[in-house]
Amino acid sequence: MSDAEFDRLGRELAAEQDRLREGGQARAKARAEFLEASAPRPAGHARWLWSAVALGFAVAALIAFGPRRTPPLTAALESTGQALSAGAFIEAEGQVALPVRFSDGSRITLSPRARARLVELDGDGAHLLLEGGHAQVAVVPRAHTRFRISAGPFLVRVTGTRFGVAWDAERDRFELDLQKGSVEVAGCVIGQGYAMRSGQRVTASCKRKQFDVGEAGTGAGTRTGAVTGTGTGTGIGTGPGAGTGAGAAPGAGPESAVEVRDVRRVRRAVRPAPVVSFEDACARADAEELTELADSARRSGDFEREGHALRMLRRRFAGTERGALAAFALGRLEFDVYGEHRKAASWFATYVREQPAGALVREARGRLVEAKAVLGETVAAQRLAVAYLRDYPQGPHAELARSLTGEAAP
Amino acid sequence: MQKSRPAAVPAKPFPKVVELPLPDSDAVLVAALRVGRVDAKRALFDRYGSDVERVLYRILGPDLEIPDLLQDVFLAALASIDKLRKPEALRAWLTGIAVRKARKCILKRRRWRFIRLLQHGESPDTEAPAAPAEVSEALRCTYVVLDAMPADERLVFALRHIDGMELTEVASACAISLATVKRRLVRAQASFDALATQQPALADWVRARRVRIGAES
């Protein structure tokens, strides 16, 4: 989009926001609460109250920071002894790894070109943010050890282990090889937390909604149970690489990785599950799951499966909102992918008919104008364009509509 | 003989202090705030509440936390009014506070989206509340896209293209240089273009240009 087009979209959004603001109560509510919160308090009451608050803080500080509290760990670059404080940024330049030693004996080694930030140091451990690259982590187990490694949107909680962790922001890929001990990993597709055991490797991606568990150090793609989940625990394979237990196909690459359809169900689903075909999965799925299956197929470029899931949605759930959305999505599929403009027009018209006040009715009507124009049905296209401009004079298809009606821009 | 009661003496009116209304000048308003004049706080909100709310809306979208953030901005302004070096720049100063508060809100939500439930099993209530049902799909999708962008790119995009600020105003609001604004805006536009294609209600905005180009060729 050009600057002018961004501005045009922005003006439309701003106008809608201003209508919402004027009709809402946000400002009045904030005003009342601001005036109450900033009103002066009676002096005597304030003195008594603040004295009590101060005393409370003093007691809490004594408990929290009294002589029994363990002093925070210290950290330093192993090569030079340079001390690192919380907030320090560390980058392993060139071809040399950069080890960081902690005062409890733990060590985190940044591989060449890795970048990290030491977020926090406390008595139980440290929090390191791995901004990119690979780090080898060796944490000394103690009674209250608590090291945390953040890598992109993922968090590794460490209690005494040795592992390698990597984060690639450009590819949105998280990887952890656990050599010894135990860690818990959490973040987006992984959900609340997945406890890894020694010898496992986890790779994950938020954008691709992907979460794989395999054997560490045995090459990419070996799976011991990469699954997705439904409420019933049925796993779904999208390629030959998906497998169960020891029967996993070795050497299957990332392209055969199973896609997580519902990130809220990952924890129940992370166990070996029987493979079913995509068609069977569609046949058993409810409307929400069919929508997710269609979305997953589209994201992976499998338009045939996308169409299958959408048509199943139409067959079983026509008359519902999801069924109507499937009609819109089928319209886009026929128009954008297959160039079947007549079928596309029919689907867009279906959506408009079934959801005259639906969330995508403006888009569907605009697409219908476009489809009719491409088909050469000029009279129909002009009629639809006039109606479109009446209702959406600043819509995304307004310029196309004006080109059909000869109407000048406002 | 009946004694007549003395006629009632009308009470003398007690003198009372009447504060004159605050003039429109921001310098006077700031001075009144600094001395703690009660009506000055009301005047501050009444004069700039709409502007601050507008900025928060542009950055966050129709967000149910806006009333709380709006209050926070004015409380922060009151707390630091003595640090305002140019009272005549009160509006821009308030805008800067609003941008910082919004940015902090975005970053906090991102952190807790990924870290929740690891802090002793507690799940802080910092998820972005769902947008009201009456917003259009395009508006909702725009903020889905903006949510996926880095916070600093989102800020310059929202202030420039949705609020319509000039680039110099964006720089002032975000406390960054003009060069940095331009750099972030280019990245933000590229991110928006790429992410918008995944949103049905926005994809057509991106497509519409390509359709026109195709028609012209």
Side-chain angles (χ1 to χ4, degrees), chain B residues 24-74:
Chain B
D24 287 342
S25 155
D26 281 348
V28 171
L29 176 57
V30 170
L33 287 166
R34 284 176 174 161
V35 300
R37 197 167 140 171
V38 174
D39 62 337
K41 296 171 195 169
R42 197 164 46 242
L44 177 69
F45 194 100
D46 291 343
R47 199 177 289 186
Y48 292 116
S50 179
D51 285 335
V52 172
E53 186 195 35
R54 189 196 79 242
V55 169
L56 293 173
Y57 251 86
R58 301 300 190 241
I59 297 172
L60 298 171
D63 191 312
L64 295 174
E65 282 204 68
I66 284 183
D68 291 330
L69 285 168
L70 188 51
Q71 183 192 351
D72 282 351
V73 168
F74 281 93

Side-chain angles (χ1 to χ4, degrees), chain A residues 122-338:
Chain A
D122 60 32
D124 296 329
H127 182 187
L128 186 89
L129 170 66
L130 182 64
E131 294 192 354
H134 178 272
Q136 182 67 25
V137 179
V139 169
V140 172
R142 293 177 293 141
H144 301 289
T145 295
R146 201 173 70 107
F147 271 73
R148 288 147 290 155
I149 313 292
S150 295
F154 300 95
L155 181 70
V156 185
R157 191 171 68 168
V158 186
T159 54
T161 57
R162 196 170 64 237
F163 63 91
V165 60
W167 168 245
D168 185 335
E170 281 189 16
R171 293 168 61 204
D172 194 78
R173 181 182 167 88
F174 168 84
E175 192 171 289
L176 189 147
D177 272 335
L178 181 58
Q179 291 120 29
K180 182 181 173 186
S182 64
V183 299
E184 186 175 283
V185 188
C188 64
V189 291
I190 301 176
Q192 301 172 17
Y194 175 67
M196 292 178 67
R197 63 167 197 282
S198 178
Q200 280 188 322
R201 164 184 288 179
V202 157
T203 56
S205 167
C206 281
K207 284 183 187 167
R208 291 187 294 279
K209 291 196 180 165
Q210 204 170 328
F211 168 41
D212 298 328
V213 179
E215 294 293 334
T218 54
T222 302
R223 307 280 181 256
T224 57
V227 294
T228 64
T230 65
T232 58
T234 303
I236 295 166
T238 60
T244 68
E255 63 276 6
S256 65
V258 178
E259 202 162 307
V260 176
R261 291 188 295 106
D262 183 348
V263 301
R264 293 166 294 180
R265 298 169 181 167
V266 171
R267 282 184 70 227
R268 289 199 295 278
V270 184
R271 57 180 183 273
V275 174
V276 299
S277 70
F278 186 84
E279 289 72 18
D280 284 346
C282 286
R284 301 180 200 185
D286 62 23
E288 186 183 348
E289 288 161 349
L290 276 169
T291 305
E292 288 170 2
L293 281 164
D295 287 345
S296 297
R298 183 179 67 252
R299 279 195 295 271
S300 55
D302 194 334
F303 300 116
E304 192 179 323
R305 280 185 169 155
E306 183 196 359
H308 180 88
L310 291 171
R311 280 187 289 275
M312 180 74 70
L313 251 176
R314 285 296 306 169
R315 267 202 299 281
R316 292 169 51 200
F317 300 101
T320 66
E321 189 182 348
R322 283 195 188 272
L325 287 170
F328 181 86
L330 279 164
R332 290 180 73 207
L333 187 64
E334 295 289 357
F335 197 116
D336 296 341
V337 175
Y338 297 122

Side-chain angles (χ1 to χ4, degrees), chain A residues 1-3 5-18 20-22 25-35 37-40 127 146 148 150 152-157 184-188 191-193 206 298-299 328 332 335-336 359-360 362-364 366-367 370 394-397 399-400, chain B residues 38 41-42 44-46 49-51 53-54 57-62 64 66-68 70-71 74-75 78 113-120 132 134-143 157 160-164 185 188-190 192-193 196-209 211-212 215:
Chain A
M1 288 169 72
S2 67
D3 268 354
E5 280 152 346
F6 279 121
D7 287 342
R8 192 159 71 89
L9 172 62
R11 279 195 299 273
E12 176 172 322
L13 297 173
E16 182 180 350
Q17 284 185 352
D18 290 340
L20 286 170
R21 287 199 303 132
E22 291 313 313
Q25 297 298 316
R27 211 179 319 145
K29 180 179 176 225
R31 184 183 187 276
E33 290 179 358
F34 164 67
L35 292 176
S38 59
H127 182 187
R146 201 173 70 107
R148 288 147 290 155
S150 295
F154 300 95
L155 181 70
V156 185
R157 191 171 68 168
E184 186 175 283
V185 188
C188 64
Q192 301 172 17
C206 281
R298 183 179 67 252
R299 279 195 295 271
F328 181 86
R332 290 180 73 207
F335 197 116
D336 296 341
L360 294 172
R362 182 185 70 175
E363 286 67 29
R367 290 292 209 124
E370 194 179 341
Q394 303 294 330
H397 288 87
E399 287 197 35
L400 172 66
Chain B
V38 174
K41 296 171 195 169
R42 197 164 46 242
L44 177 69
F45 194 100
D46 291 343
S50 179
D51 285 335
E53 186 195 35
R54 189 196 79 242
Y57 251 86
R58 301 300 190 241
I59 297 172
L60 298 171
L64 295 174
I66 284 183
D68 291 330
L70 188 51
Q71 183 192 351
F74 281 93
L75 287 174
L78 269 192
R113 195 182 305 163
F114 303 122
I115 295 177
R116 67 172 180 265
L117 296 181
L118 289 183
Q119 305 296 328
H120 309 295
E134 65 271 18
V135 306
S136 74
E137 191 65 8
L139 183 57
R140 189 189 68 79
C141 290
T142 295
Y143 286 91
F157 184 96
R160 171 73 181 137
H161 290 306
I162 306 179
D163 199 49
L185 194 57
Q189 288 170 344
F192 194 95
D193 261 338
T197 55
Q198 297 170 18
Q199 301 294 331
L202 290 180
D204 286 354
W205 284 90
V206 179
R207 278 189 69 257
R209 178 165 181 262
V211 166
R212 287 196 301 282

